[in-house]
Amino acid sequence: MAQQQERIAVISPHLDDGVFSCGQLLALHPGSTVITVFTGVPKPASMRTEWDKRCGFASAEDAMAQRRQEDRRALTMLRAQPVWMDFIDSQYGDEPVCANDIAVSLRLVLRGLGPVPVLLPMGMFHGDHLLVHRACMKALAALPGYTPLAYEDALYRAKTGLLQQRLMALAQEGITATPDPRQAQGGATLKAEAVLAYASQLQAFGPGGYVDVLRPERLWRLDIPAGSSAT
């Protein structure tokens, strides 16, 4: 890959998505940043969802604390920096989050990084992923010089036909998605080690339930024609 030392910014809906989907690319771009949107603690903090129970957490507060620790360990391995936003994961049933609010926060962080390639979720299957995709597109519309690259959401991309459906939906919104040549060549071993840092999530997925995260990473360059309704 050319320019392997170039920094990138990866936008991650939850604490693991960025590494699961872009861990190799992060390994090849030391000094990069992973911005995770849904890391806030809901009220009451003592609530416990079925997913948190499967992960071995005692409460939502415990889940967010431990998951941040896991994220920090993984990103330290990849020589990347975490940025954690305080929006609430939809599993906790709080008031719906507005894409515009996320976009405002993302814009502030990205401006501080300077113009970099921004890797955002394609927005497959999970409502939080789609919301973050839309927020990223709104944020980048006001940030010339930042290259928008969509990554294929690990685990969800393995669902039959889902990637094709998402590409069609983007086209209907006026967004052209083109395979990007900056695919990861190397870094697989380091990514595999970083993935293991998310022990709580791997426990919930079960044996073999996360094999897709170790498959090749792919990016799509997003182009939005002037006057498009995409943002």
Side-chain angles (χ1 to χ4, degrees):
M1 177 188 294
Q3 296 183 329
Q4 290 191 357
Q5 298 302 311
E6 178 187 33
R7 294 180 301 111
I8 60 175
V10 175
I11 315 300
S12 181
H14 307 106
L15 291 158
D16 62 18
D17 293 314
V19 171
F20 283 4
S21 299
C22 305
Q24 283 184 256
L25 288 159
L26 287 165
L28 296 170
H29 295 78
S32 294
T33 302
V34 177
I35 306 165
T36 305
V37 175
F38 298 108
T39 74
V41 177
K43 296 180 180 179
S46 60
M47 74 166 66
R48 188 188 192 199
T49 65
E50 181 58 33
W51 180 257
D52 285 347
K53 182 179 180 180
R54 287 173 60 184
C55 293
F57 299 130
S59 65
E61 183 176 35
D62 178 42
M64 286 298 102
Q66 291 195 44
R67 292 190 69 183
R68 286 191 182 200
Q69 291 177 8
E70 292 175 346
D71 194 49
R72 188 180 295 281
R73 283 196 293 271
L75 296 185
T76 296
M77 294 180 197
L78 297 170
R79 293 174 292 174
Q81 301 296 320
V83 173
W84 298 319
M85 295 182 171
D86 287 328
F87 295 99
I88 306 299
D89 188 324
S90 63
Q91 71 167 316
Y92 296 121
D94 272 32
E95 291 295 320
V97 180
C98 175
N100 286 332
D101 291 340
I102 298 174
V104 170
S105 296
L106 285 173
R107 202 174 296 135
L108 290 172
V109 176
L110 291 172
R111 279 181 176 146
L113 298 177
V116 293
V118 178
L119 281 57
L120 59 136
M122 183 74 78
M124 293 188 228
F125 187 75
H126 197 301
D128 285 350
H129 285 234
L130 181 57
L131 180 62
V132 170
H133 171 90
R134 290 174 173 163
C136 287
M137 298 303 282
K138 289 178 179 292
L140 291 170
L143 293 173
Y146 293 70
T147 305
L149 300 166
Y151 60 79
E152 297 177 3
D153 314 50
L155 300 178
Y156 301 132
R157 65 177 179 171
K159 294 182 178 293
T160 303
L162 196 56
L163 174 60
Q164 290 75 16
Q165 293 173 21
R166 189 70 186 110
L167 291 171
M168 289 177 61
L170 290 173
Q172 292 171 354
E173 295 173 18
I175 301 173
T176 301
T178 305
D180 189 87
R182 284 172 282 196
Q183 309 306 319
Q185 301 295 329
T189 299
L190 189 55
K191 173 182 178 174
E193 294 173 357
V195 165
L196 294 178
Y198 298 99
S200 66
Q201 306 308 294
L202 303 188
Q203 173 180 311
F205 291 135
Y210 61 94
V211 65
D212 179 65
V213 307
L214 302 177
R215 292 180 175 138
E217 299 171 359
R218 290 179 301 224
L219 298 177
W220 297 77
R221 188 182 72 248
L222 302 181
D223 297 305
I224 308 176
S228 168
S229 62
T231 58

